[in-house]
């Protein structure tokens, strides 16, 4: 058993608490990882807020991390102690019908237990003050050591800087893949990206790499425009600057609508606007943002009858074990940006401050 520091969420709506936790050794087909770096994501904040119906407490959150394998359980063959890895919230077992289907990346092998905050055998590897602590998204990267299933880990280039590539565990991969895998953005096309946070910037990067000629960024926070342009946005607009709905503005700006739109916020009203901003006959709108539980999307069916397509994406459609190492290689060879997404680097004990920076859009 390893004793280490972890940021524990004891209950919903309260700040994280830095505690000493006990991390049990890995069982069969499990891997214990020393986490070197982790990022904060709105998904962690969503669960912490209490709005997530799958949220269980007390829990160790975090799902964008990178580290070094400390030890492995029986039957683990893909990684060994000392390997550099990224934990994966969408695993890839290679055996379920989802993994065998090239159309999806949604491995279902450990979905049930992962959703309950437990390891595949139905138990937890974390305890604190004599209490069992739940796992989160199969990763729990807000701990100096974590235990994950062996199908939830990608071995990456040992030379990669972990304080950067941890972002490939969620946000960057998600946005980039939404553009290149889910939408399959084509050269010369026009795109609209709603929400210019980390995921939105990654979508812009994907659209640019795919050869889009016009990329319109949409956000209420104008402080984000300079960064969006750095990533490839050709122009940025705020819905507050117009008297009419933003979809009407975009349709006028683009002679009938955009070829591709992306919702990177998780707001069902914006999802509708993003679809309706698409061009009749061929426009494709991808939902990337995760809306709160119980919310529903709406539009007039005629929008779809007249040739628009509404799609969604999880982790950018990447089959995780196969593709995360390739994304790291693409970063190392300067094909994709990662460093530019990092705005602040804080010590672990300032994790609540990191959440405040995220909430204020900084």
């Amino acid at each position: 058993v390893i004793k280490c520091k972890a940021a524990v969420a004891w209950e919903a709506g309260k700040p994280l608490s830095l505690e000493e936790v006990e991390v049990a050794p890995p069982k069969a087909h499990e891997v214990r990882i020393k986490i070197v770096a982790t990022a904060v994501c709105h998904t962690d904040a969503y669960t912490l807020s209490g709005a997530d119906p799958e949220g269980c407490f007390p829990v160790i959150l975090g799902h964008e991390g990178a580290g070094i394998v400390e030890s492995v359980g029986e039957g683990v063959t893909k990684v060994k102690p000392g390997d550099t890895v990224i934990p994966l919230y969408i695993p890839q077992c290679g055996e379920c019908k989802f993994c065998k289907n090239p159309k999806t990346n949604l491995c279902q092998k450990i979905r049930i237990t992962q959703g309950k905050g437990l390891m595949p055998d139905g138990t937890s590897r974390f305890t604190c003050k004599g209490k069992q602590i739940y796992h989160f998204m199969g990763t729990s990267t807000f701990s100096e050591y974590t235990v994950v299933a062996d199908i939830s880990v990608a071995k990456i280039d040992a030379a990669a800087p972990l304080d950067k590539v941890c972002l490939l565990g969620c946000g960057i991969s998600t946005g980039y893949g939404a553009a290149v895998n889910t939408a399959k953005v084509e050269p010369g096309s026009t795109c609209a990206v709603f929400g210019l946070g980390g995921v939105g910037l990654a979508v812009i990067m994907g659209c640019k790499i795919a050869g889009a000629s016009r990329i319109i960024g949409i956000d209420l926070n104008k402080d984000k425009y300079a960064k969006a342009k750095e990533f490839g946005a050709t122009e940025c607009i705020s819905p507050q600057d117009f008297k009419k709905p933003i979809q009407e503005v975009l349709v006028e700006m683009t002679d009938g609508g955009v070829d591709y739109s992306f919702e990177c916020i998780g707001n069902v009203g914006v999802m509708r606007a993003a679809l309706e901003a698409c061009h009749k006959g061929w426009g494709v709108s991808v939902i990337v943002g995760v809306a709160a539980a119980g919310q529903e999307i709406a539009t007039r069916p005629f929008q779809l009858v007249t040739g628009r397509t509404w799609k969604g994406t999880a982790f950018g459609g990447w089959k995780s074990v196969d593709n995360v190492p390739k994304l790291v290689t693409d970063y190392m060879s300067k094909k994709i940006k990662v460093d530019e997404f990092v705005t602040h680097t804080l010590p672990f004990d300032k994790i609540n401050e990191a959440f405040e920076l995220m909430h204020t859009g900084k």
Side-chain angles (χ1 to χ4, degrees):
V1 174
I2 288 178
K3 288 187 176 182
C4 68
K5 273 198 301 188
V8 177
W10 288 106
E11 54 183 302
K14 293 275 165 67
L16 301 177
S17 175
L18 234 63
E19 306 280 2
E20 182 180 79
V21 298
E22 293 86 42
V23 185
K27 295 189 185 177
H29 295 288
E30 294 177 3
V31 179
R32 186 159 61 180
I33 302 167
K34 179 182 185 187
I35 297 288
V36 174
T38 185
V40 297
C41 172
H42 277 284
T43 311
D44 305 306
Y46 169 61
T47 298
L48 185 58
S49 74
D52 180 358
E54 264 197 352
C56 348
F57 295 89
V59 64
I60 294 172
L61 300 169
H63 63 284
E64 278 185 322
I68 312 287
V69 174
E70 178 273 332
S71 58
V72 299
E74 198 187 321
V76 175
T77 55
K78 299 265 175 74
V79 293
K80 61 185 187 306
D83 283 350
T84 305
V85 293
I86 289 178
L88 307 166
Y89 69 90
I90 293 183
Q92 187 187 349
C93 71
E95 294 162 2
C96 70
K97 71 177 182 182
F98 288 80
C99 281
K100 286 180 172 163
N101 191 321
K103 293 178 181 175
T104 184
N105 62 332
L106 296 174
C107 173
Q108 296 296 295
K109 182 84 179 264
I110 58 173
R111 179 72 200 97
I112 304 296
T113 49
Q114 181 172 316
K116 290 178 177 162
L118 300 167
M119 293 300 290
D121 72 347
T123 63
S124 167
R125 301 291 161 271
F126 297 121
T127 49
C128 180
K129 297 177 180 171
K131 285 188 178 148
Q132 172 188 284
I133 308 290
Y134 287 107
H135 293 250
F136 178 67
M137 290 176 76
T139 53
S140 290
T141 60
F142 293 171
S143 175
E144 291 178 324
Y145 287 85
T146 190
V147 180
V148 304
D150 62 352
I151 58 172
S152 303
V153 65
K155 182 183 170 181
I156 61 160
D157 183 343
L162 301 187
D163 61 330
K164 306 291 192 292
V165 296
C166 60
L167 291 170
L168 292 168
C170 178
I172 298 179
S173 305
T174 298
Y176 178 53
V180 299
N181 297 331
T182 310
K184 296 184 170 60
V185 171
E186 294 168 316
S189 57
T190 300
C191 303
V193 181
F194 292 78
L196 302 176
V199 175
L201 294 176
V203 170
I204 290 172
M205 175 173 79
C207 293
K208 187 182 178 181
I209 289 170
S213 59
R214 194 172 177 193
I215 304 167
I216 305 164
I218 299 117
D219 203 298
L220 300 173
N221 183 350
K222 294 186 180 180
D223 294 341
K224 296 190 173 185
Y225 293 178
K227 197 82 166 167
K229 286 177 180 166
E230 209 181 294
F231 276 88
T234 51
E235 63 221 278
C236 295
I237 58 175
S238 167
Q240 288 174 333
D241 290 346
F242 302 94
K243 294 265 196 302
K244 57 179 80 164
I246 194 69
Q247 52 266 53
E248 289 178 29
V249 173
L250 286 159
V251 166
E252 280 175 24
M253 280 173 70
T254 57
D255 184 29
V258 297
D259 302 311
Y260 302 97
S261 72
F262 301 86
E263 199 280 352
C264 308
I265 302 162
N267 176 313
V268 293
V270 178
M271 290 172 191
R272 177 174 190 157
L275 176 77
E276 295 177 0
C278 282
H279 203 290
K280 184 190 280 190
W282 63 77
V284 174
S285 186
V286 181
I287 294 173
V288 193
V290 178
Q295 296 201 320
E296 297 183 354
I297 47 174
T299 190
R300 295 204 171 134
F302 197 65
Q303 291 285 334
L304 301 175
V305 171
T306 50
R308 293 169 194 81
T309 304
W310 220 344
K311 300 178 90 167
T313 189
F315 196 55
W318 302 107
K319 286 196 184 270
S320 58
V321 174
D322 291 345
N323 288 292
V324 168
K326 292 177 186 166
L327 289 165
V328 171
T329 302
D330 284 349
Y331 157 64
M332 300 292 276
S333 58
K334 301 206 167 13
K335 280 188 193 156
I336 60 171
K337 294 180 197 273
V338 173
D339 296 11
E340 292 82 354
F341 285 88
V342 180
T343 55
H344 298 75
T345 304
L346 299 167
F348 188 30
D349 55 13
K350 297 265 176 77
I351 190 160
N352 287 309
E353 212 171 288
F355 275 96
E356 283 165 35
L357 287 163
M358 181 176 68
H359 286 307
T360 55
K362 291 178 180 165

